[in-house]
């Protein structure tokens, strides 16, 4: 806030009030540590933070870890040396980044985790992410209603080994399937024929799916932990000449615009909504409040965005052709 400071001076022996120049408000400095920018989702998340921070008059220092945990640690430490007021971080590793959150706490810098998760021992203000459990329940409801009792032989495409968000996403969908089967048909069960690691990218999804198709010709469904890998799986299926096999493609997350358009066109099953624009805006808003010490005591440790299963029935409402993601 700008304030006017009054002072007194003697002019011709008479005290005269003098107004000082307005004091400039402190510019809030946010540190944004991203695990990567090598995927549309992460680029859109960073862009959303930058856009909202600019609207709020805050400065943002960014650091891209390029998928390297040690580089992310170094980047955060560099930000702390530049006296940031708040740290927003998408951590590469849930346990490996705990140390820098403690360094931030020691410097009285609040930490907000976005998209991914961090170990409960980390002293963070909150984690902002989609609800994997609720999205999974909705995806399970959709899937069981869609296949109508057909036996499921699922190929699983996962991101990185040990990634807690990937684990939560697939667990959420699988629990959702089981609950929906029990509720809708009175018994439950499905087969995961194999797991491939796609590193969250389309190219990774292509390679992982190629291997799974070779090893498991009975695949009739593909569950991916994000849309990018699912889109890669679709390409691998087409390249293998198996597009006529009607292999059902669906994802636990994200709502990538290319996937949403394919869902609308009936060529892709469903996905859970994990909108980087919403998460980025929420993170920047909260970061500015935290810097101004306006966050109430007892703020929730996890902040979820509203859960949504994007299916053919509602895809038109979520398709944004001009979105970054």
């Amino acid at each position: 806030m700008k304030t006017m400071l009054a002072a007194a001076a003697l002019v011709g022996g008479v005290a005269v009030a003098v107004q000082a120049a307005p004091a400039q408000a402190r510019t809030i400095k946010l540190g944004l540590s991203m695990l990567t920018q090598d995927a549309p989702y992460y680029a859109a998340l960073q862009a959303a933070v930058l856009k909202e921070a600019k609207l709020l008059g805050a400065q943002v220092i960014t650091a891209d870890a390029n998928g390297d945990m040690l580089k992310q640690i170094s980047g955060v430490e560099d930000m702390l040396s530049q006296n940031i007021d708040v740290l927003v971080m998408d951590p590469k590793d849930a346990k490996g980044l705990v140390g820098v959150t403690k360094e931030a706490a020691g410097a009285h810098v609040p930490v907000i985790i976005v998209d991914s998760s961090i170990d409960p021992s980390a002293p963070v203000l909150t984690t902002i992410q989609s609800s994997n459990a609720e999205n999974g329940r909705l995806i399970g409801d959709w899937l069981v209603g869609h296949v109508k009792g057909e036996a499921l032989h699922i190929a699983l495409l996962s991101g990185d080994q040990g990634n807690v968000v990937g684990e939560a996403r697939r667990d959420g969908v699988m629990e959702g399937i089981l609950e929906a089967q029990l509720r809708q048909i009175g018994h439950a069960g499905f087969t995961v024929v194999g797991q491939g690691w796609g590193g969250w990218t389309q190219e990774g999804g292509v390679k992982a799916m190629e291997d799974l198709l070779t090893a498991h010709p009975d695949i009739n469904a593909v569950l991916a932990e994000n849309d990018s890998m699912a889109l890669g799986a679709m390409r691998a299926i087409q390249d293998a000449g198996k597009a006529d096999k009607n292999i059902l493609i669906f994802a636990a997350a994200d709502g990538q615009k290319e996937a949403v358009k394919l869902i609308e066109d009936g060529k892709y099953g469903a996905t859970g909504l994990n909108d980087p624009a919403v998460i980025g805006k929420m993170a920047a808003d909260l970061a500015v409040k935290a810097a101004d010490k306006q966050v109430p005591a007892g703020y929730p440790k996890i902040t979820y965005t509203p859960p949504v299963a994007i299916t053919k029935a509602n895809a038109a409402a979520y398709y944004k052709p001009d979105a970054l993601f």
Side-chain angles (χ1 to χ4, degrees):
M1 299 292 292
K2 293 182 179 179
T3 59
M4 301 293 290
L5 302 178
L10 288 176
V11 179
V14 179
V16 177
V18 178
Q19 285 190 325
Q24 294 298 314
R26 175 178 69 92
T27 299
I28 293 170
K29 190 184 295 185
L30 309 184
L32 176 61
S33 172
M34 297 296 298
L35 68 89
T36 185
Q37 286 290 280
D38 190 24
Y41 179 89
Y42 300 110
L45 176 55
Q46 176 165 301
V49 173
L50 293 172
K51 179 181 178 180
E52 187 66 11
K54 183 177 180 180
L55 290 174
L56 296 172
Q59 176 188 354
V60 182
I61 299 172
T62 63
D64 176 9
N66 290 314
D68 185 326
M69 185 183 74
L70 295 179
K71 185 174 181 180
Q72 187 164 33
I73 291 170
S74 175
V76 171
E77 290 176 338
D78 181 60
M79 290 176 181
L80 292 173
S81 73
Q82 297 182 60
N83 299 314
I84 57 172
D85 297 296
V86 183
L87 172 65
V88 178
M89 180 169 66
D90 190 353
K92 166 66 177 173
D93 185 272
K95 291 187 180 295
L97 274 296
V98 170
V100 289
T101 66
K102 292 181 177 179
E103 289 182 42
H108 305 290
V109 174
V111 180
I112 299 168
I113 301 298
V114 291
D115 177 50
S116 193
S117 295
I118 198 159
D119 190 83
S121 64
V124 303
L125 174 58
T126 195
T127 296
I128 302 174
Q129 59 185 198
S130 60
S131 174
N132 296 304
E134 288 302 306
N135 276 349
R137 180 181 64 79
L138 295 172
I139 293 291
D141 278 345
W142 164 82
L143 177 65
V144 174
H146 185 80
V147 300
K148 302 184 186 307
E150 180 184 0
L152 288 165
H153 299 272
I154 299 173
L156 174 63
L157 293 183
S158 296
D160 296 317
Q161 295 189 38
N163 184 284
V164 293
V165 167
E167 292 172 2
R169 286 179 179 179
R170 65 178 179 259
D171 289 351
V173 173
M174 290 178 183
E175 289 172 12
I177 294 170
L178 293 173
E179 288 297 326
Q181 286 176 328
L182 290 171
R183 186 170 59 254
Q184 295 182 34
I185 60 178
H187 58 86
F190 57 89
T191 301
V192 177
V193 299
Q195 180 181 27
W197 300 95
W200 305 110
T201 68
Q202 274 200 49
E203 290 304 318
V206 170
K207 180 64 173 65
M209 194 66 213
E210 287 173 346
D211 295 340
L212 287 164
L213 285 169
T214 300
H216 306 283
D218 60 337
I219 291 169
N220 63 5
V222 177
L223 165 59
E225 291 173 3
N226 75 346
D227 286 321
S228 290
M229 292 186 294
L231 293 168
M234 289 185 71
R235 201 166 87 208
I237 290 167
Q238 292 166 355
D239 291 347
K242 296 188 176 183
D244 61 341
K245 298 295 184 182
N246 295 319
I247 299 173
L248 180 61
I249 308 290
F250 63 107
D254 290 305
Q256 186 172 337
K257 65 182 180 182
E258 293 85 357
V260 175
K261 185 65 173 72
L262 288 168
I263 291 170
E264 186 179 7
D265 294 342
K267 299 176 182 178
Y268 185 120
T271 189
L273 182 62
N274 178 38
D275 191 338
V278 172
I279 291 175
K281 181 181 186 302
M282 289 173 63
D285 288 343
L286 182 60
V288 170
K289 290 178 181 176
D292 283 337
K293 297 181 169 50
Q294 294 180 355
V295 179
Y299 197 83
K301 283 296 182 183
I302 300 182
T303 306
Y304 291 123
T305 59
V308 177
I310 301 174
T311 68
K312 187 173 174 59
N314 64 2
Y318 292 96
Y319 179 54
K320 301 174 184 176
D322 297 328
L324 287 177
F325 178 75

